[in-house]
Amino acid sequence: MSILVPLILGVAIILYQYNSFTESQVNEIKGYFKNADYFYIYLSLFIAFFGFWSRAYRWKFSLEHMGYQTQFHNNFMAVCIAYLMNLTVPRSGEISRALVLKKYEKIPFDKAFGTIVAERVVDLMIFFLFVFIGFIMQFNVLKEYVLEKIPYEKLLLLFVFGVIGLIIIMLIWFYSNWKIVLTLKQKFSGLIEGMMSILKMKQKWAYLFHSFFIWFTYLLMFYVTIFALKETSNIGIGAVVIAFIFGSLTIGFTNSGFGFYPLVIAEIFVLYHVNKPAGIAFGWLVWTSQTILMIVLGGMSFLFLPILNRNK
């Protein structure tokens, strides 16, 4: 169901979008694909490759901190397989990464998985930093959009309910003895411990450098793609950051953004006076090219892992 439901929703969104466009708009979208400057698409894929490489290289620091030496090609192919697996079931890639190292590097699953969880915590903190910067940069644009969609009175009511809900959650968290709360506290404690272990690494600064570099490649590969279409080439960095943030959210909460990603990107670009067909075309160009890269690298990794490790 975790695969099927997001897939069905993605298909439904694609069909809805297609049927909402006129024939001339559909032809317009086809024209964008035909006339796009694919040099910038290939450039974005080249940049993305360095993001894959950096993620694999960062991983060795946390593994070495735990006393394990791994071969880089196994780390890299495990990361590529993880990206491929995340196209099916969201977050299944983390499990597959740990399983690859268990099989080919003899690292216990729980140890490898713990390093991956710590990575995700760091990645989440950097993403929140992007969110903070993006919302500060584009506060006026986003405020006007929200107030246009939601009347001020309803927005104020939502804020009040949100504050009340937050207070209730905090009271439950600090004073409740419910089993589920105690379990969550234990999980959260483990995450904090994983984060603290990063600070004790000999190579902690290199680890943090690669953490920021990974997200820099994510943003850069998105940014260079705007030059593939004339209609998106003039939008500012603020618009790029906001579109990148919301696009990343769709990837994280669905089957890597299938169906959702182009729609969200188009809706954000409309705020910056990019017509919707151009936004849809841009979203599909980014999503399709990155998906093909993940399929190719992940598929090659599945093929070459047993070959390169046949003597083990």
Side-chain angles (χ1 to χ4, degrees):
M1 288 298 289
S2 59
I3 300 176
L4 193 59
V5 172
L7 188 62
I8 292 173
L9 288 174
V11 171
I13 286 176
I14 293 170
L15 292 174
Y16 170 77
Q17 278 293 303
Y18 180 81
N19 291 325
S20 67
F21 287 129
T22 64
E23 185 177 348
S24 63
Q25 287 177 316
V26 172
N27 291 330
E28 187 180 353
I29 293 173
K30 291 178 181 178
Y32 289 130
F33 280 106
K34 182 179 179 181
N35 299 316
D37 188 342
Y38 282 90
F39 166 78
Y40 293 103
I41 303 298
Y42 300 137
L43 179 59
S44 74
L45 297 180
F46 179 71
I47 295 168
F49 179 83
F50 280 96
F52 283 46
W53 173 86
S54 185
R55 184 171 288 280
Y57 197 80
R58 177 182 69 169
W59 198 10
K60 82 182 186 71
F61 296 129
S62 52
L63 291 169
E64 286 176 355
H65 177 68
M66 299 177 69
Y68 298 106
Q69 296 290 333
T70 58
Q71 297 184 76
F72 176 75
H73 65 262
N74 285 337
N75 288 10
F76 180 77
M77 287 187 283
V79 166
C80 292
I81 288 172
Y83 278 109
L84 177 61
M85 294 304 296
N86 280 335
L87 292 175
T88 56
V89 180
R91 305 276 70 89
S92 63
E94 282 73 7
I95 297 173
S96 68
R97 276 177 66 183
L99 288 173
V100 168
L101 283 202
K102 182 177 185 295
K103 181 175 182 179
Y104 294 108
E105 295 287 354
K106 311 305 180 187
I107 296 177
F109 175 84
D110 59 330
K111 300 290 186 180
F113 189 71
T115 63
I116 296 167
V117 171
E119 282 183 16
R120 286 304 180 192
V121 175
V122 174
D123 289 338
L124 188 62
M125 292 178 67
I126 295 174
F127 177 71
F128 282 147
L129 179 62
F130 271 101
V131 172
F132 177 75
I133 293 172
F135 276 63
I136 292 296
M137 291 173 64
Q138 300 297 298
F139 177 76
N140 289 331
V141 174
L142 294 172
K143 182 183 71 173
E144 290 176 10
Y145 176 76
V146 170
L147 289 177
E148 181 182 330
K149 296 292 183 181
I150 308 174
Y152 180 78
E153 293 78 11
K154 288 186 178 179
L155 195 62
L156 183 61
L157 192 63
L158 285 172
F159 175 76
V160 171
F161 278 117
V163 171
I164 293 172
L166 180 61
I167 292 172
I168 292 172
I169 290 172
M170 290 178 66
L171 289 173
I172 292 173
W173 179 264
F174 287 111
Y175 298 106
S176 173
N177 289 319
W178 295 344
K179 186 176 180 179
I180 187 171
V181 174
L182 296 176
T183 302
L184 287 173
K185 283 183 178 180
Q186 186 177 6
K187 298 287 185 183
F188 185 73
S189 176
L191 292 178
I192 296 297
E193 185 179 352
M195 277 293 299
M196 295 305 294
S197 69
I198 294 172
L199 299 177
K200 298 175 183 177
M201 289 181 189
K202 291 181 179 178
Q203 302 287 347
K204 59 178 176 293
W205 295 116
Y207 186 97
L208 292 174
F209 167 79
H210 280 279
S211 297
F212 279 98
F213 181 76
I214 290 164
W215 282 90
F216 172 73
T217 62
Y218 288 168
L219 180 61
L220 185 60
M221 69 188 186
F222 185 87
Y223 175 72
V224 299
T225 313
I226 69 174
F227 300 106
L229 298 179
K230 181 181 178 181
E231 287 71 15
T232 59
S233 60
N234 293 320
I235 63 174
I237 186 64
V240 170
V241 172
I242 292 298
F244 170 75
I245 289 169
F246 282 95
S248 298
L249 288 172
T250 66
I251 291 173
F253 288 102
T254 65
N255 290 58
S256 289
F258 176 67
F260 295 87
Y261 186 89
L263 175 62
V264 169
I265 296 299
E267 290 292 336
I268 295 299
F269 277 4
V270 165
L271 298 177
Y272 299 92
H273 313 294
V274 176
N275 69 73
K276 199 163 186 178
I280 289 288
F282 174 87
W284 277 113
L285 282 170
V286 174
W287 186 86
T288 304
S289 60
Q290 296 297 327
T291 300
I292 290 173
L293 179 67
M294 287 186 278
I295 291 172
V296 170
L297 291 179
M300 290 177 65
S301 296
F302 268 118
L303 176 64
F304 285 106
L305 259 175
I307 295 174
L308 294 175
N309 292 278
R310 58 182 170 222
N311 294 326
K312 289 189 176 182

